[in-house]
Amino acid sequence: MNKQLLKLGTRGSRLALWQAETVKALVQQATPDLAVEIVIITSSGDLDRSKPLEQLGGEGLFTKELEHELQQGTIDFAVHSLKDLPTVLPKGFVLSAVPQRGPVEDALVTRSGGGLESLPQGSTVATGSPRRKAQLLNLRSDLNVTGLRGNVPTRLEKLETEDLDGIVLAKAGLERLGFGDRVTEVFPTDRFCPAVGQGAIGIEIREGDQTALNATSAIDHPETHAAVQAERGFLAGLGSGCSLPVGAYAQTDNAAQPAFLTLAGVVLNRQGTERLAADMTGPVGKAWELGERLAELLVGQGGMNLLAE
């Protein structure tokens, strides 16, 4: 009997293909009557690798083209790094599943092999993220923090070719591509708050596509899904995106009955000289609302003034 074929859309980077292959294997294992074919789609963010992401337009840079093909029916579902997915999806699309999350932390890779505190005064550390830049400067105001674009292997190459002292990347991406041994320091989340959805994969489908919904929801990890919904609610509550120095990290406590989430959030100014942080707990079933409440708390403490800078 011929299996029903579903087409999975993805970007073409090594990390994106790792994610796509992982999701393909999970779906085929969970629903053996389905076959999955990977379709590579080039995004706007892939076309210009020189300019900072915030200059290219911020949210949706790595997702718009996949959503277009999804809308056209060229693909049946799209796989994203969840931190690339806008907090509010365009009409007609649904976040149908979030598989179990990988590591959430940010990691430092240095040429010397030492950690952040070992770097000499005035060292140059590169990152493409305003969130990472602000938190680096908050920890070490003497650093020269410069921009960085490209996929994981390219960034590691630039560490050597562009005379950098260190670079900061997601631990998950390094480990998934076999570069875990390059990590010289892993930043604890209470000191260096991750990006919303960091380490998680998001699966997007057309609203009302029952076949795609059944196939992808079978690989959903409810604890991860609830955690990232709280984080995304926090970001939506601030009205910001990936181009601002904002971080959030939620964890689920299933030992408690009923289960609840603890959400930590941080807002900084771009120079890293001011930092607001808070945490809040709430029921798993109201994850998005928990994020909005934490955002409201930090707004009340002056968070929007920091972002306006």
Side-chain angles (χ1 to χ4, degrees):
M1 184 179 71
N2 290 332
K3 294 183 178 182
Q4 182 175 3
L5 178 67
L6 290 184
K7 294 190 176 183
L8 178 163
T10 178
R11 294 166 57 209
S13 70
R14 278 180 60 186
L15 184 55
L17 290 173
W18 182 95
Q19 293 176 161
E21 292 288 355
T22 298
V23 169
K24 174 182 176 179
L26 288 172
V27 169
Q28 291 185 153
Q29 183 179 13
T31 52
D33 57 328
L34 292 176
V36 177
E37 177 188 328
I38 292 175
V39 179
I40 297 174
I41 297 163
T42 302
S43 73
S44 304
D46 297 315
L47 294 174
D48 187 338
R49 296 179 181 271
S50 58
K51 292 179 183 175
L53 292 178
E54 53 194 309
Q55 289 184 17
L56 294 177
E59 282 195 333
L61 278 175
F62 296 112
T63 61
K64 285 183 293 188
E65 283 74 16
L66 276 81
E67 287 171 341
H68 175 75
E69 299 302 325
L70 195 55
Q71 187 177 45
Q72 296 299 311
T74 312
I75 58 175
D76 299 294
F77 60 113
V79 175
H80 309 280
S81 289
L82 191 60
K83 63 186 179 66
D84 293 336
L85 202 58
T87 46
V88 179
L89 298 184
K91 188 175 180 181
F93 299 108
V94 176
L95 179 64
S96 62
V98 183
Q100 188 166 6
R101 197 176 207 170
V104 301
E105 299 92 348
D106 290 289
L108 176 70
V109 180
T110 61
R111 279 200 295 163
S112 66
L116 188 67
E117 293 306 317
S118 74
L119 293 176
Q121 188 168 0
S123 292
T124 299
V125 179
T127 172
S129 158
R131 173 190 60 85
R132 289 175 180 148
K133 179 178 180 179
Q135 292 190 106
L136 280 168
L137 291 172
N138 184 257
L139 295 172
R140 288 278 307 267
S141 60
D142 64 288
L143 293 175
N144 171 35
V145 183
T146 188
L148 185 68
R149 285 289 314 276
N151 56 33
V152 172
T154 300
R155 293 184 187 206
L156 290 170
E157 185 179 326
K158 287 182 177 181
L159 176 62
E160 309 296 334
T161 61
E162 299 192 3
D163 200 28
L164 303 172
D165 297 297
I167 58 175
V168 179
L169 309 92
K171 182 186 178 189
L174 287 164
E175 290 190 350
R176 286 166 176 170
L177 295 184
F179 296 115
D181 60 340
R182 298 291 304 274
V183 174
T184 50
E185 182 175 358
V186 177
F187 296 123
T189 57
D190 60 345
R191 184 169 168 238
F192 208 98
C193 195
V196 166
Q198 187 155 301
I201 298 170
I203 301 175
E204 188 179 20
I205 65 170
R206 290 184 297 274
E207 189 174 14
D209 186 337
Q210 196 61 44
T211 301
L213 177 62
N214 292 343
T216 56
S217 61
I219 66 168
D220 187 56
H221 188 251
E223 291 85 355
T224 299
H225 203 145
V228 300
Q229 284 295 86
E231 295 165 16
R232 287 163 65 77
F234 174 72
L235 197 58
L238 290 173
S240 66
C242 61
S243 62
L244 290 173
V246 171
Y249 177 41
Q251 300 177 79
T252 310
D253 185 348
N254 287 320
Q257 292 301 325
F260 67 87
L261 284 166
T262 299
L263 173 64
V266 63
V267 176
L268 302 97
N269 64 351
R270 288 183 179 271
Q271 298 76 31
T273 55
E274 295 185 68
R275 178 181 186 270
L276 288 173
D279 58 72
M280 190 176 284
T281 60
V284 168
K286 293 187 178 293
W288 187 277
E289 292 86 344
L290 175 65
E292 290 180 323
R293 286 197 292 121
L294 184 61
E296 186 178 352
L297 175 66
L298 287 179
V299 167
Q301 295 177 1
M304 297 310 291
N305 295 331
L306 297 189
L307 295 179
E309 292 182 25

PDB file of all heavy atoms in Angstrom, residues 228-259:
ATOM      1  N   VAL A 228       7.220  27.415  25.928  1.00  0.00           N
ATOM      2  CA  VAL A 228       7.484  28.404  24.882  1.00  0.00           C
ATOM      3  C   VAL A 228       6.281  29.321  24.665  1.00  0.00           C
ATOM      4  O   VAL A 228       6.448  30.479  24.261  1.00  0.00           O
ATOM      5  CB  VAL A 228       7.927  27.746  23.555  1.00  0.00           C
ATOM      6  CG1 VAL A 228       9.204  26.941  23.750  1.00  0.00           C
ATOM      7  CG2 VAL A 228       6.831  26.891  22.946  1.00  0.00           C
ATOM      8  N   GLN A 229       5.084  28.836  24.947  1.00  0.00           N
ATOM      9  CA  GLN A 229       3.918  29.720  24.847  1.00  0.00           C
ATOM     10  C   GLN A 229       3.996  30.830  25.896  1.00  0.00           C
ATOM     11  O   GLN A 229       3.651  31.984  25.617  1.00  0.00           O
ATOM     12  CB  GLN A 229       2.622  28.915  25.015  1.00  0.00           C
ATOM     13  CG  GLN A 229       2.226  28.106  23.791  1.00  0.00           C
ATOM     14  CD  GLN A 229       1.891  28.986  22.593  1.00  0.00           C
ATOM     15  OE1 GLN A 229       2.778  29.381  21.826  1.00  0.00           O
ATOM     16  NE2 GLN A 229       0.628  29.303  22.406  1.00  0.00           N
ATOM     17  N   ALA A 230       4.472  30.507  27.090  1.00  0.00           N
ATOM     18  CA  ALA A 230       4.651  31.533  28.124  1.00  0.00           C
ATOM     19  C   ALA A 230       5.687  32.558  27.682  1.00  0.00           C
ATOM     20  O   ALA A 230       5.487  33.773  27.833  1.00  0.00           O
ATOM     21  CB  ALA A 230       5.065  30.884  29.438  1.00  0.00           C
ATOM     22  N   GLU A 231       6.783  32.076  27.114  1.00  0.00           N
ATOM     23  CA  GLU A 231       7.835  32.972  26.639  1.00  0.00           C
ATOM     24  C   GLU A 231       7.330  33.862  25.508  1.00  0.00           C
ATOM     25  O   GLU A 231       7.609  35.066  25.472  1.00  0.00           O
ATOM     26  CB  GLU A 231       9.039  32.152  26.179  1.00  0.00           C
ATOM     27  CG  GLU A 231       9.722  31.372  27.289  1.00  0.00           C
ATOM     28  CD  GLU A 231      10.669  30.295  26.797  1.00  0.00           C
ATOM     29  OE1 GLU A 231      11.042  30.335  25.598  1.00  0.00           O
ATOM     30  OE2 GLU A 231      11.054  29.423  27.590  1.00  0.00           O
ATOM     31  N   ARG A 232       6.574  33.273  24.595  1.00  0.00           N
ATOM     32  CA  ARG A 232       6.053  34.041  23.462  1.00  0.00           C
ATOM     33  C   ARG A 232       4.994  35.041  23.916  1.00  0.00           C
ATOM     34  O   ARG A 232       4.886  36.142  23.367  1.00  0.00           O
ATOM     35  CB  ARG A 232       5.501  33.088  22.405  1.00  0.00           C
ATOM     36  CG  ARG A 232       6.621  32.350  21.663  1.00  0.00           C
ATOM     37  CD  ARG A 232       6.124  31.125  20.903  1.00  0.00           C
ATOM     38  NE  ARG A 232       5.216  31.423  19.814  1.00  0.00           N
ATOM     39  CZ  ARG A 232       5.578  31.891  18.619  1.00  0.00           C
ATOM     40  NH1 ARG A 232       6.862  32.120  18.377  1.00  0.00           N
ATOM     41  NH2 ARG A 232       4.700  32.115  17.675  1.00  0.00           N
ATOM     42  N   GLY A 233       4.232  34.681  24.936  1.00  0.00           N
ATOM     43  CA  GLY A 233       3.271  35.615  25.503  1.00  0.00           C
ATOM     44  C   GLY A 233       3.968  36.815  26.126  1.00  0.00           C
ATOM     45  O   GLY A 233       3.488  37.956  26.037  1.00  0.00           O
ATOM     46  N   PHE A 234       5.117  36.562  26.737  1.00  0.00           N
ATOM     47  CA  PHE A 234       5.925  37.639  27.332  1.00  0.00           C
ATOM     48  C   PHE A 234       6.402  38.598  26.245  1.00  0.00           C
ATOM     49  O   PHE A 234       6.272  39.818  26.367  1.00  0.00           O
ATOM     50  CB  PHE A 234       7.111  37.016  28.064  1.00  0.00           C
ATOM     51  CG  PHE A 234       8.113  38.013  28.598  1.00  0.00           C
ATOM     52  CD1 PHE A 234       7.816  38.808  29.690  1.00  0.00           C
ATOM     53  CD2 PHE A 234       9.360  38.134  28.009  1.00  0.00           C
ATOM     54  CE1 PHE A 234       8.743  39.723  30.184  1.00  0.00           C
ATOM     55  CE2 PHE A 234      10.304  39.038  28.490  1.00  0.00           C
ATOM     56  CZ  PHE A 234       9.989  39.833  29.584  1.00  0.00           C
ATOM     57  N   LEU A 235       6.919  38.046  25.162  1.00  0.00           N
ATOM     58  CA  LEU A 235       7.410  38.875  24.062  1.00  0.00           C
ATOM     59  C   LEU A 235       6.271  39.664  23.424  1.00  0.00           C
ATOM     60  O   LEU A 235       6.410  40.845  23.125  1.00  0.00           O
ATOM     61  CB  LEU A 235       8.090  37.981  23.017  1.00  0.00           C
ATOM     62  CG  LEU A 235       9.012  38.655  22.009  1.00  0.00           C
ATOM     63  CD1 LEU A 235      10.144  39.398  22.696  1.00  0.00           C
ATOM     64  CD2 LEU A 235       9.571  37.628  21.036  1.00  0.00           C
ATOM     65  N   ALA A 236       5.125  39.011  23.242  1.00  0.00           N
ATOM     66  CA  ALA A 236       3.967  39.697  22.669  1.00  0.00           C
ATOM     67  C   ALA A 236       3.499  40.823  23.588  1.00  0.00           C
ATOM     68  O   ALA A 236       3.105  41.897  23.125  1.00  0.00           O
ATOM     69  CB  ALA A 236       2.835  38.702  22.424  1.00  0.00           C
ATOM     70  N   GLY A 237       3.561  40.579  24.894  1.00  0.00           N
ATOM     71  CA  GLY A 237       3.155  41.592  25.859  1.00  0.00           C
ATOM     72  C   GLY A 237       4.031  42.829  25.826  1.00  0.00           C
ATOM     73  O   GLY A 237       3.577  43.934  26.114  1.00  0.00           O
ATOM     74  N   LEU A 238       5.288  42.638  25.447  1.00  0.00           N
ATOM     75  CA  LEU A 238       6.209  43.772  25.328  1.00  0.00           C
ATOM     76  C   LEU A 238       6.098  44.430  23.960  1.00  0.00           C
ATOM     77  O   LEU A 238       6.625  45.523  23.753  1.00  0.00           O
ATOM     78  CB  LEU A 238       7.654  43.311  25.552  1.00  0.00           C
ATOM     79  CG  LEU A 238       8.030  42.893  26.974  1.00  0.00           C
ATOM     80  CD1 LEU A 238       9.426  42.301  26.989  1.00  0.00           C
ATOM     81  CD2 LEU A 238       7.940  44.069  27.941  1.00  0.00           C
ATOM     82  N   GLY A 239       5.450  43.731  23.017  1.00  0.00           N
ATOM     83  CA  GLY A 239       5.316  44.254  21.664  1.00  0.00           C
ATOM     84  C   GLY A 239       6.625  44.284  20.920  1.00  0.00           C
ATOM     85  O   GLY A 239       6.829  45.081  20.013  1.00  0.00           O
ATOM     86  N   SER A 240       7.556  43.392  21.309  1.00  0.00           N
ATOM     87  CA  SER A 240       8.877  43.414  20.690  1.00  0.00           C
ATOM     88  C   SER A 240       9.160  42.119  19.962  1.00  0.00           C
ATOM     89  O   SER A 240       8.377  41.166  20.004  1.00  0.00           O
ATOM     90  CB  SER A 240       9.951  43.661  21.756  1.00  0.00           C
ATOM     91  OG  SER A 240      10.026  42.567  22.654  1.00  0.00           O
ATOM     92  N   GLY A 241      10.311  42.081  19.282  1.00  0.00           N
ATOM     93  CA  GLY A 241      10.702  40.886  18.542  1.00  0.00           C
ATOM     94  C   GLY A 241      12.160  40.560  18.780  1.00  0.00           C
ATOM     95  O   GLY A 241      12.758  41.005  19.754  1.00  0.00           O
ATOM     96  N   CYS A 242      12.722  39.794  17.857  1.00  0.00           N
ATOM     97  CA  CYS A 242      14.085  39.299  18.044  1.00  0.00           C
ATOM     98  C   CYS A 242      15.133  40.391  17.921  1.00  0.00           C
ATOM     99  O   CYS A 242      16.310  40.164  18.204  1.00  0.00           O
ATOM    100  CB  CYS A 242      14.377  38.180  17.044  1.00  0.00           C
ATOM    101  SG  CYS A 242      14.242  38.719  15.320  1.00  0.00           S
ATOM    102  N   SER A 243      14.745  41.599  17.478  1.00  0.00           N
ATOM    103  CA  SER A 243      15.727  42.654  17.273  1.00  0.00           C
ATOM    104  C   SER A 243      15.915  43.549  18.498  1.00  0.00           C
ATOM    105  O   SER A 243      16.599  44.560  18.433  1.00  0.00           O
ATOM    106  CB  SER A 243      15.328  43.520  16.073  1.00  0.00           C
ATOM    107  OG  SER A 243      14.079  44.142  16.321  1.00  0.00           O
ATOM    108  N   LEU A 244      15.310  43.173  19.628  1.00  0.00           N
ATOM    109  CA  LEU A 244      15.450  43.958  20.845  1.00  0.00           C
ATOM    110  C   LEU A 244      16.066  43.115  21.966  1.00  0.00           C
ATOM    111  O   LEU A 244      15.950  41.891  21.962  1.00  0.00           O
ATOM    112  CB  LEU A 244      14.081  44.494  21.290  1.00  0.00           C
ATOM    113  CG  LEU A 244      13.487  45.581  20.396  1.00  0.00           C
ATOM    114  CD1 LEU A 244      12.061  45.918  20.843  1.00  0.00           C
ATOM    115  CD2 LEU A 244      14.346  46.843  20.419  1.00  0.00           C
ATOM    116  N   PRO A 245      16.733  43.761  22.932  1.00  0.00           N
ATOM    117  CA  PRO A 245      17.406  43.033  24.017  1.00  0.00           C
ATOM    118  C   PRO A 245      16.435  42.523  25.084  1.00  0.00           C
ATOM    119  O   PRO A 245      16.321  43.076  26.173  1.00  0.00           O
ATOM    120  CB  PRO A 245      18.383  44.067  24.582  1.00  0.00           C
ATOM    121  CG  PRO A 245      17.780  45.386  24.240  1.00  0.00           C
ATOM    122  CD  PRO A 245      17.047  45.205  22.944  1.00  0.00           C
ATOM    123  N   VAL A 246      15.735  41.456  24.741  1.00  0.00           N
ATOM    124  CA  VAL A 246      14.732  40.848  25.604  1.00  0.00           C
ATOM    125  C   VAL A 246      14.978  39.349  25.657  1.00  0.00           C
ATOM    126  O   VAL A 246      15.277  38.725  24.629  1.00  0.00           O
ATOM    127  CB  VAL A 246      13.307  41.115  25.050  1.00  0.00           C
ATOM    128  CG1 VAL A 246      12.263  40.308  25.816  1.00  0.00           C
ATOM    129  CG2 VAL A 246      12.980  42.593  25.119  1.00  0.00           C
ATOM    130  N   GLY A 247      14.873  38.744  26.837  1.00  0.00           N
ATOM    131  CA  GLY A 247      15.011  37.298  26.964  1.00  0.00           C
ATOM    132  C   GLY A 247      13.955  36.739  27.894  1.00  0.00           C
ATOM    133  O   GLY A 247      13.400  37.458  28.730  1.00  0.00           O
ATOM    134  N   ALA A 248      13.637  35.463  27.745  1.00  0.00           N
ATOM    135  CA  ALA A 248      12.669  34.802  28.620  1.00  0.00           C
ATOM    136  C   ALA A 248      12.927  33.307  28.632  1.00  0.00           C
ATOM    137  O   ALA A 248      13.348  32.740  27.618  1.00  0.00           O
ATOM    138  CB  ALA A 248      11.239  35.077  28.159  1.00  0.00           C
ATOM    139  N   TYR A 249      12.669  32.693  29.781  1.00  0.00           N
ATOM    140  CA  TYR A 249      12.857  31.250  29.896  1.00  0.00           C
ATOM    141  C   TYR A 249      11.845  30.692  30.892  1.00  0.00           C
ATOM    142  O   TYR A 249      11.804  31.114  32.039  1.00  0.00           O
ATOM    143  CB  TYR A 249      14.286  30.930  30.347  1.00  0.00           C
ATOM    144  CG  TYR A 249      14.562  29.463  30.576  1.00  0.00           C
ATOM    145  CD1 TYR A 249      14.060  28.492  29.715  1.00  0.00           C
ATOM    146  CD2 TYR A 249      15.330  29.054  31.653  1.00  0.00           C
ATOM    147  CE1 TYR A 249      14.314  27.140  29.929  1.00  0.00           C
ATOM    148  CE2 TYR A 249      15.605  27.706  31.874  1.00  0.00           C
ATOM    149  CZ  TYR A 249      15.088  26.760  31.008  1.00  0.00           C
ATOM    150  OH  TYR A 249      15.341  25.433  31.218  1.00  0.00           O
ATOM    151  N   ALA A 250      11.022  29.760  30.425  1.00  0.00           N
ATOM    152  CA  ALA A 250      10.008  29.134  31.268  1.00  0.00           C
ATOM    153  C   ALA A 250      10.341  27.663  31.498  1.00  0.00           C
ATOM    154  O   ALA A 250      10.833  26.983  30.607  1.00  0.00           O
ATOM    155  CB  ALA A 250       8.622  29.255  30.620  1.00  0.00           C
ATOM    156  N   GLN A 251      10.039  27.182  32.705  1.00  0.00           N
ATOM    157  CA  GLN A 251      10.239  25.783  33.054  1.00  0.00           C
ATOM    158  C   GLN A 251       8.966  25.243  33.689  1.00  0.00           C
ATOM    159  O   GLN A 251       8.299  25.941  34.453  1.00  0.00           O
ATOM    160  CB  GLN A 251      11.402  25.635  34.030  1.00  0.00           C
ATOM    161  CG  GLN A 251      12.728  26.143  33.492  1.00  0.00           C
ATOM    162  CD  GLN A 251      13.837  26.052  34.515  1.00  0.00           C
ATOM    163  OE1 GLN A 251      14.402  24.997  34.752  1.00  0.00           O
ATOM    164  NE2 GLN A 251      14.167  27.177  35.128  1.00  0.00           N
ATOM    165  N   THR A 252       8.654  23.999  33.367  1.00  0.00           N
ATOM    166  CA  THR A 252       7.449  23.358  33.867  1.00  0.00           C
ATOM    167  C   THR A 252       7.767  22.502  35.086  1.00  0.00           C
ATOM    168  O   THR A 252       8.756  21.772  35.098  1.00  0.00           O
ATOM    169  CB  THR A 252       6.826  22.454  32.788  1.00  0.00           C
ATOM    170  OG1 THR A 252       6.718  23.180  31.574  1.00  0.00           O
ATOM    171  CG2 THR A 252       5.441  21.979  33.198  1.00  0.00           C
ATOM    172  N   ASP A 253       6.939  22.607  36.105  1.00  0.00           N
ATOM    173  CA  ASP A 253       7.050  21.736  37.279  1.00  0.00           C
ATOM    174  C   ASP A 253       5.853  20.793  37.280  1.00  0.00           C
ATOM    175  O   ASP A 253       4.748  21.167  37.659  1.00  0.00           O
ATOM    176  CB  ASP A 253       7.081  22.570  38.567  1.00  0.00           C
ATOM    177  CG  ASP A 253       7.328  21.723  39.806  1.00  0.00           C
ATOM    178  OD1 ASP A 253       7.243  20.479  39.706  1.00  0.00           O
ATOM    179  OD2 ASP A 253       7.607  22.291  40.872  1.00  0.00           O
ATOM    180  N   ASN A 254       6.098  19.563  36.830  1.00  0.00           N
ATOM    181  CA  ASN A 254       5.016  18.582  36.758  1.00  0.00           C
ATOM    182  C   ASN A 254       4.800  17.856  38.076  1.00  0.00           C
ATOM    183  O   ASN A 254       3.816  17.140  38.244  1.00  0.00           O
ATOM    184  CB  ASN A 254       5.301  17.553  35.661  1.00  0.00           C
ATOM    185  CG  ASN A 254       5.100  18.152  34.280  1.00  0.00           C
ATOM    186  OD1 ASN A 254       4.169  18.915  34.063  1.00  0.00           O
ATOM    187  ND2 ASN A 254       5.977  17.821  33.348  1.00  0.00           N
ATOM    188  N   ALA A 255       5.746  18.025  39.018  1.00  0.00           N
ATOM    189  CA  ALA A 255       5.607  17.350  40.313  1.00  0.00           C
ATOM    190  C   ALA A 255       4.462  17.963  41.106  1.00  0.00           C
ATOM    191  O   ALA A 255       3.792  17.282  41.886  1.00  0.00           O
ATOM    192  CB  ALA A 255       6.913  17.443  41.095  1.00  0.00           C
ATOM    193  N   ALA A 256       4.240  19.251  40.886  1.00  0.00           N
ATOM    194  CA  ALA A 256       3.139  19.927  41.578  1.00  0.00           C
ATOM    195  C   ALA A 256       1.822  19.553  40.910  1.00  0.00           C
ATOM    196  O   ALA A 256       1.761  19.289  39.718  1.00  0.00           O
ATOM    197  CB  ALA A 256       3.340  21.438  41.523  1.00  0.00           C
ATOM    198  N   GLN A 257       0.762  19.524  41.681  1.00  0.00           N
ATOM    199  CA  GLN A 257      -0.572  19.247  41.154  1.00  0.00           C
ATOM    200  C   GLN A 257      -1.523  20.351  41.586  1.00  0.00           C
ATOM    201  O   GLN A 257      -1.738  20.537  42.775  1.00  0.00           O
ATOM    202  CB  GLN A 257      -1.066  17.883  41.643  1.00  0.00           C
ATOM    203  CG  GLN A 257      -0.300  16.704  41.060  1.00  0.00           C
ATOM    204  CD  GLN A 257      -0.366  16.648  39.541  1.00  0.00           C
ATOM    205  OE1 GLN A 257      -1.384  16.996  38.955  1.00  0.00           O
ATOM    206  NE2 GLN A 257       0.726  16.224  38.912  1.00  0.00           N
ATOM    207  N   PRO A 258      -2.082  21.110  40.632  1.00  0.00           N
ATOM    208  CA  PRO A 258      -1.828  20.983  39.189  1.00  0.00           C
ATOM    209  C   PRO A 258      -0.443  21.508  38.807  1.00  0.00           C
ATOM    210  O   PRO A 258       0.160  22.267  39.553  1.00  0.00           O
ATOM    211  CB  PRO A 258      -2.929  21.849  38.575  1.00  0.00           C
ATOM    212  CG  PRO A 258      -3.203  22.889  39.602  1.00  0.00           C
ATOM    213  CD  PRO A 258      -3.040  22.199  40.929  1.00  0.00           C
ATOM    214  N   ALA A 259       0.048  21.078  37.644  1.00  0.00           N
ATOM    215  CA  ALA A 259       1.362  21.500  37.164  1.00  0.00           C
ATOM    216  C   ALA A 259       1.376  23.013  36.928  1.00  0.00           C
ATOM    217  O   ALA A 259       0.361  23.615  36.598  1.00  0.00           O
ATOM    218  CB  ALA A 259       1.697  20.770  35.866  1.00  0.00           C
TER     219      ALA A 259
END
